[in-house]
Amino acid sequence: MKKLFITLLFVLSSTFSFADDDHKHSMAEANAPYPTLDVELIKDAKDGYNLIIQTTNFKFAPENVNQANNGNEGHAHIYINDVKYRQYSPYFHLSNNLLKKGENEVKVTLNSNDHSHFMANGMPLTFEIELMADGNYKMKKGHKHKKDHEHKEH
């Protein structure tokens, strides 16, 4: 019984260590014309929010996940308070049961087939939202793909 407990403890600690490493992805430079990333957050009438990932020069390709990179195709990662969700389409329902009471941080990244985090001109394709307890939110930072383009706070 003691051996089983020690083995189980080792497996669990290894799993949790691996889960922490899951957020660390290599970076991959996207191809020109570079993808763009914007996120729209719409209050849902019944529950939570609807998050819409808006991209250009990028193709969601769930059929190629875990395969070799192929241009500007892949999927998104959505992190809700550091919990990762793999997203294969532009639409995600952010249910209230995924949110904690108080402030929440939502981050969206564009990722290649092998899960590398896409960059455009050396800038990570990332969009962050700070969701306040009162339901208001602000876009904390977004991807800059040209010197004259920045995401504005809402």
Side-chain angles (χ1 to χ4, degrees):
M1 183 70 168
K2 187 174 183 180
K3 185 177 182 181
L4 175 64
F5 175 75
I6 292 171
T7 304
L8 183 60
L9 183 62
F10 174 75
V11 169
L12 286 175
S13 66
S14 298
T15 302
F16 288 122
S17 297
F18 180 75
D20 289 341
D21 291 340
D22 196 34
H23 292 327
K24 298 174 184 169
H25 295 285
S26 62
M27 304 299 278
E29 186 70 21
N31 297 331
Y34 291 122
T36 62
L37 172 62
D38 280 302
V39 174
E40 185 176 3
L41 194 62
I42 302 168
K43 180 75 174 146
D44 187 88
K46 292 188 178 192
D47 174 45
Y49 298 84
N50 294 309
L51 186 145
I52 303 169
I53 302 168
Q54 301 169 336
T55 64
T56 60
N57 304 317
F58 177 81
K59 177 187 171 200
F60 282 94
E63 68 278 7
N64 294 329
V65 72
N66 300 323
Q67 295 181 27
N69 295 340
N70 183 21
N72 295 339
E73 72 172 27
H75 57 280
H77 290 170
I78 299 174
Y79 299 88
I80 303 167
N81 300 316
D82 290 325
V83 176
K84 183 178 89 174
Y85 299 88
R86 203 184 292 174
Q87 185 62 22
Y88 297 119
S89 78
Y91 305 100
F92 182 80
H93 180 70
L94 182 55
S95 175
N96 285 330
N97 65 3
L98 296 176
L99 301 171
K100 63 183 183 181
K101 291 186 186 218
E103 293 184 9
N104 290 271
E105 184 174 293
V106 179
K107 181 169 75 169
V108 178
T109 64
L110 286 185
N111 298 77
S112 61
N113 294 332
D114 75 353
H115 304 280
S116 296
H117 187 160
F118 270 130
M119 296 185 305
N121 238 4
M123 297 291 294
L125 286 162
T126 302
F127 203 95
E128 295 184 31
I129 301 168
E130 186 178 336
L131 186 57
M132 311 301 187
D134 62 5
N136 289 320
Y137 63 91
K138 65 180 178 177
M139 305 305 185
K140 289 172 56 177
K141 92 180 176 187
H143 150 72
K144 298 178 191 176
H145 70 278
K146 294 180 183 173
K147 290 183 181 177
D148 62 349
H149 174 82
E150 266 187 63
H151 294 282
K152 298 177 183 169
E153 290 190 8
H154 293 263

